[in-house]
Amino acid sequence: MYSLLIADDDAIIREGIRKYLLAHFPQFSQIWTAKNGQEAFAVFEEHKPDIIYTDVAMPIFDGLELLDRLYQSGYRPKAVIISAYENFSYAQNAMRLGVEDYLLKPILPDQICAVTSKLLTEMDQRQAFLSNIHNIMNTYQESLPVIRQRFFSILIHGNAGEKDLLEKARQADIDLSGGTYTAAVLKLAPPAAGSAGGSTAADSFSRFLSEAGGQIFPDGVRVYNFVDNGLNVVLIAVLDREDPRGLFGLMNRSLDKLMGSVKSRTDLTIEKAALGRQYTRLEEISRSYQEALDILISTDNAPSNSVCNYTDVLASQETGIKIDSTLESRLLHYVK
């Protein structure tokens, strides 16, 4: 349903147009009238009709001044100018103000019918367009969690190049532009007996992170989370500059803080967190993820509520298996 305002100092014309429109256009829920520009502006401010028919020559201020004031106030009604005489300058100014049509008195019913039908059709089409856009956006928002989950699966398994990843990230409403990237994998404790299950624990963690993430992770670090392998939560961290060493330190401190906050503010428990190495190329997030996952699996004996770093574990392993070549030669000699 639409509404309309008729502004004209001639009462006969005002009422004639109003009665005709009410009789032939049930689409109008309300039609107001005004006898001058000032009164019309007041009516418009109160009711904000969709269409306005206005005479040019009216007391206090005329039709063009009325439209100018409406547009300056941010109102954009469909406007039709009515004039008792043909004047090119009036028509020119009316077009400048975005007027839809320009009718000369005496106005014939067919003219009113044609102009009004055209305006209603245009507004119906606009309403349909906006409704379609709204439906599309609703569908997109409802599908966004699935779109993001699919994207993260592609991301951590290295199934796309960097350019393709950036485009897919934008489609999932994720900003992965940055200079340094890393991945962490968190192992959530199994849910207590009688709870709704692992997915509920992961969902609760996601809600917590969305609310408290800004207090845990510093400025310049964007963190995205998703669920992988049941209870494992994956964090993808993006630093806005190229600084692998800096991101390593920031993520270690943030993960420690995250584990403490989760324990003190929720009924969830992070048993262990593993951090992969830091890379300056987007497609290497998959490598960082695999490193974090490997460390999480291989450090079952690590203390609870601890953060394991791939860099530290790798260095330890390299130190443990390093063999002195001279010692090896002497050992073989004595064995022989």
Side-chain angles (χ1 to χ4, degrees):
M1 300 296 284
Y2 301 105
S3 58
L4 184 141
L5 169 63
I6 304 167
D8 198 304
D9 58 340
D10 190 320
I12 296 176
I13 293 178
R14 285 200 311 269
E15 285 304 306
I17 296 175
R18 189 180 73 86
K19 290 179 180 179
Y20 178 84
L21 292 175
L22 287 174
H24 293 84
F25 292 94
Q27 297 95 319
F28 290 116
S29 60
Q30 187 69 48
I31 297 178
W32 297 279
T33 61
K35 60 180 177 294
N36 58 59
Q38 186 179 56
E39 186 177 306
F41 188 82
V43 171
F44 203 97
E45 281 197 308
E46 181 178 357
H47 301 291
K48 299 176 180 60
D50 302 295
I51 301 173
I52 178 170
Y53 278 78
T54 179
D55 188 17
V56 169
M58 290 188 298
I60 304 181
F61 50 85
D62 64 26
L64 293 183
E65 188 177 355
L66 167 63
L67 294 179
D68 192 40
R69 293 191 180 195
L70 289 175
Y71 293 156
Q72 287 184 19
S73 299
Y75 303 122
R76 290 293 184 273
K78 294 280 188 181
V80 178
I81 286 287
I82 301 172
S83 179
Y85 54 92
E86 189 170 2
N87 186 304
F88 178 74
S89 63
Y90 272 123
Q92 198 174 38
N93 288 333
M95 294 302 108
R96 178 181 57 81
L97 291 171
V99 170
E100 301 290 333
D101 220 320
Y102 191 97
L103 300 179
L104 293 175
K105 297 179 182 180
I107 306 171
L108 299 176
D110 288 348
Q111 291 176 300
I112 291 290
C113 181
V115 170
T116 305
S117 296
K118 182 190 74 171
L119 298 181
L120 290 174
T121 298
E122 290 174 357
M123 289 191 296
D124 285 342
Q125 290 174 345
R126 176 174 173 76
Q127 289 286 357
F129 173 76
L130 294 176
S131 178
N132 288 337
I133 293 295
H134 180 71
N135 292 336
I136 291 172
M137 291 303 299
N138 282 343
T139 301
Y140 171 73
Q141 290 297 327
E142 291 170 1
S143 305
L144 197 54
V146 176
I147 295 172
R148 285 181 170 175
Q149 187 68 27
R150 289 177 179 172
F151 166 75
F152 283 127
S153 178
I154 293 172
L155 180 68
I156 64 175
H157 292 106
N159 296 333
E162 183 172 358
K163 291 183 179 179
D164 194 30
L165 282 174
L166 285 172
E167 178 58 31
K168 290 183 181 297
R170 282 190 288 268
Q171 293 172 5
D173 196 24
I174 298 170
D175 181 12
L176 286 182
S177 60
T180 314
Y181 306 89
T182 194
V185 180
L186 313 180
K187 183 180 179 182
L188 297 181
S195 66
S199 61
T200 300
D203 291 342
S204 298
F205 176 81
S206 295
R207 287 194 294 271
F208 167 78
L209 195 61
S210 66
E211 295 171 359
Q215 304 168 9
I216 296 171
F217 296 97
D219 293 340
V221 177
R222 299 188 305 280
V223 176
Y224 303 95
N225 70 287
F226 63 100
V227 180
D228 182 56
N229 293 333
L231 287 176
N232 289 342
V233 175
V234 181
L235 303 182
I236 303 297
V238 184
L239 182 65
D240 55 7
R241 62 187 182 277
E242 189 171 317
D243 185 5
R245 185 183 295 273
L247 183 57
F248 175 81
L250 291 172
M251 284 302 293
N252 269 278
R253 290 190 293 273
S254 297
L255 288 174
D256 282 333
K257 188 175 181 180
L258 173 64
M259 297 178 81
S261 297
V262 167
K263 186 175 181 179
S264 63
R265 296 167 59 178
T266 73
D267 57 356
L268 303 172
T269 300
I270 301 175
E271 288 189 346
K272 191 164 44 176
L275 180 66
R277 286 185 289 187
Q278 295 68 51
Y279 296 94
T280 57
R281 296 173 59 196
L282 175 58
E283 65 267 30
E284 290 182 305
I285 286 181
S286 59
R287 182 184 297 182
S288 181
Y289 161 76
Q290 192 59 54
E291 291 166 351
L293 188 60
D294 290 344
I295 293 302
L296 192 73
I297 295 172
S298 64
T299 54
D300 286 336
N301 297 325
S304 297
N305 299 316
S306 62
V307 179
C308 303
N309 292 290
Y310 184 85
T311 303
D312 296 340
V313 173
L314 181 64
S316 175
Q317 289 176 346
E318 289 176 343
T319 301
I321 64 174
K322 187 175 182 180
I323 299 176
D324 187 297
S325 58
T326 303
L327 179 63
E328 182 182 20
S329 298
R330 292 175 60 189
L331 179 61
L332 288 173
H333 174 73
Y334 287 127
V335 169
K336 291 178 180 179

